[in-house]
Amino acid sequence: PTITDVSAGITPGARVLIRLPNCLEYPIVLLGAMKAGAVPVPTSTLLTAEELLFLATDSGARVVVTDRGTWNAMHVALEGLPHVAHVILTGEGEVAPARRLAVVDLAPALAAITRCAPPHPTRAEDPAYLVYTSGTTGYPKGVLHAHRALLGRQPSSTYWFDFQAAGERVLHSGKYNWTYVLGTGLMDPLYRGHTAIVHEGASDAAVWPRLIAKHAATTFIGVPTLYRQILQKTSAGRADVPTLRHCMSAGEHLSDAVLAAWRARFGLDVYEGLGMTECSYYLCQTRQRPLRPGSAGFAQPGHDVRLLDPDTLAEVAPGEEGMLCIPRSDPALLLGYWNQPGETAACFRDGWFLTGDYAREDADGYLWFLGRRDDLIKSFGYRVSPHEVDRVLKDHPGVADVATVGEEIAPEKMLVVAYVIPRPDTAVTADEVLAYGRGRLASYKAPRVVYLVDEFPRTQNGKVLRRALAPERAASRSSG
């Protein structure tokens, strides 16, 4: 059957799974579902059918919003999920017939609306949206956020952005399914009354300066790889993007060399932020304090972040490694992990949310991110942060990207090794990068081996999958 009521099934508490590319319909469905008291579930268009069905099943989605191509390819499988009752479709073209599900064509259904219903009277602790992140079991786990999360994001809006009174135009290079984009690319600008711009289609380096100029963007948000590609693959400069005045980055560390080159070419700093799906962005570099390259910046005022010993929950001394912990009362924190009370209980203790991420604070109050304890490399009695090694090696002029990992060569023997993507316009060798690291890092931190590779395995959001790096991927390795 085909119905025309676009709100059918979108009832308070119902999960609405969204599988759409970046498009105008995405925020309409996402924000419309929250307005109705339902719980949107953003997902990636890169997911396989098996992965999508897992998320639909795990979330207990009642409504699925997708394009015609996805429906035509998966309608039989979706019909087999008893909790799914409605499907809302975008786009044009033929539609495979439905046997059981009620199917809505979104465009005419929206056009038929003559008045806007009042919002559902949600409260601060009511579920707002459900996003999935990589789980420790190998399956994604749902992170459930409350309606208070939007207020919890305001420190980020205040201190990471540089919003003016009116007229900001924010271009984000990512996809809406990523919480980085949902927040900084959509909810934060709209909450402050500004314009959000996203792109769907080819994302080669030349696209971004052109879009900034075309849409008079004032803020650009991306990942370090994208900033590096714009510098390496385009000749764009300050004159090409006259409206741009603020740049932001997250996802992985931006190297000192890329920051310096961006400053030289565009006359602008790039301000980094650090967060997690469970709390969005709570650390950042900010215009209010001098930017210190390599540092994660500061805890945003409004987020009472502490560095604690995870065993005693006592604060560590300046300069010492501690776990980043956030009070349970922080409105940006998740309600819990979907249908996983054990996982939820494990991350809260004595009023603190334990992020699992480690950092140290220097004498001036700057935070230096070390990563998760599982990421820290234990090599010959020393603990080495891969992020610190990455940051140094990325400054080599022949290096495009770096991922440092531990390589076990014997029981209890771990080497620090670096996988390096060389810049295409150079003839850098693995031995040169090895020597560069040895000259700029303490002996216990410097890589013992450097591998040259063509590319890194990455998650759907572009983060490097360090655990998937292996010597077999290398085109060459250092001899030292």
Side-chain angles (χ1 to χ4, degrees), residues 281-292:
Y281 292 88
Y282 60 95
L283 306 182
C284 72
Q285 299 167 341
T286 174
R287 284 184 180 270
Q288 284 79 5
R289 298 185 183 183
L291 193 152
R292 187 166 292 181

Side-chain angles (χ1 to χ4, degrees), residues 132-154:
Y132 278 81
T133 186
S134 298
T136 55
T137 62
Y139 292 96
K141 58 183 178 182
V143 178
L144 183 64
H145 278 285
H147 279 271
R148 55 173 161 75
L150 190 58
L151 293 180
R153 298 191 57 83
Q154 294 320 298

Side-chain angles (χ1 to χ4, degrees), residues 155-428:
S156 177
S157 281
T158 301
Y159 295 99
W160 191 15
F161 281 93
D162 187 41
F163 285 141
Q164 303 297 305
E168 295 292 329
R169 299 174 68 82
V170 178
L171 172 63
H172 202 304
S173 62
K175 302 293 185 183
Y176 276 137
N177 65 279
W178 191 7
T179 49
Y180 179 23
V181 190
L182 279 180
T184 57
L186 181 67
M187 289 190 278
D188 294 345
L190 294 186
Y191 184 83
R192 296 297 181 101
H194 301 303
T195 299
I197 308 164
V198 294
H199 169 66
E200 178 61 35
S203 60
D204 57 276
V207 164
W208 306 106
R210 179 176 60 79
L211 290 177
I212 292 169
K214 178 180 179 180
H215 298 288
T218 56
T219 297
F220 178 61
I221 310 176
V223 294
T225 298
L226 193 56
Y227 284 99
R228 186 165 50 248
Q229 289 175 348
I230 292 171
L231 289 167
Q232 292 176 356
K233 298 181 179 181
T234 80
S235 60
R238 190 77 189 97
D240 299 298
V241 289
T243 59
L244 184 65
R245 59 177 189 79
H246 191 65
C247 301
M248 296 157 58
S249 177
E252 58 187 65
H253 175 64
L254 184 81
S255 76
D256 298 2
V258 170
L259 175 60
W262 192 266
R263 282 172 168 168
R265 180 94 69 88
F266 292 93
L268 296 168
D269 283 323
V270 180
Y271 294 88
E272 294 189 73
L274 190 146
M276 59 194 309
T277 305
E278 290 85 346
C279 191
S280 194
Y281 292 88
Y282 60 95
L283 306 182
C284 72
Q285 299 167 341
T286 174
R287 284 184 180 270
Q288 284 79 5
R289 298 185 183 183
L291 193 152
R292 187 166 292 181
S295 165
F298 302 88
Q300 297 161 356
H303 294 302
D304 185 19
V305 181
R306 307 288 179 87
L307 290 179
L308 304 182
D309 180 313
D311 297 321
T312 65
L313 295 185
E315 284 197 67
V316 301
E320 291 186 4
E321 173 190 312
M323 184 187 287
L324 290 159
C325 297
I326 304 168
R328 187 164 195 157
S329 58
D330 192 309
L333 281 175
L334 75 166
L335 279 169
Y337 293 111
W338 182 256
N339 289 336
Q340 296 193 44
E343 289 262 7
T344 303
C347 69
F348 287 104
R349 196 189 320 156
D350 295 343
W352 292 97
F353 174 72
L354 281 61
T355 67
D357 288 328
Y358 287 79
R360 60 178 175 82
E361 184 179 10
D362 67 20
D364 298 321
Y366 287 79
L367 292 167
W368 298 80
F369 184 68
L370 301 173
R372 303 189 76 79
R373 182 155 282 179
D374 289 347
D375 289 341
L376 295 175
I377 303 166
K378 303 172 184 68
S379 180
F380 298 96
Y382 294 97
R383 291 160 61 82
V384 179
S385 167
H387 305 280
E388 186 175 2
V389 180
D390 290 353
R391 179 174 62 84
V392 171
L393 296 186
K394 283 179 182 178
D395 285 341
H396 189 290
V399 170
D401 209 349
V402 180
T404 304
V405 298
E407 182 179 302
E408 190 171 25
I409 58 171
E412 305 301 321
K413 285 189 177 181
M414 189 77 70
L415 294 183
V416 177
V417 304
Y419 288 82
V420 172
I421 299 176
R423 287 188 56 163
D425 56 343
T426 67
V428 68

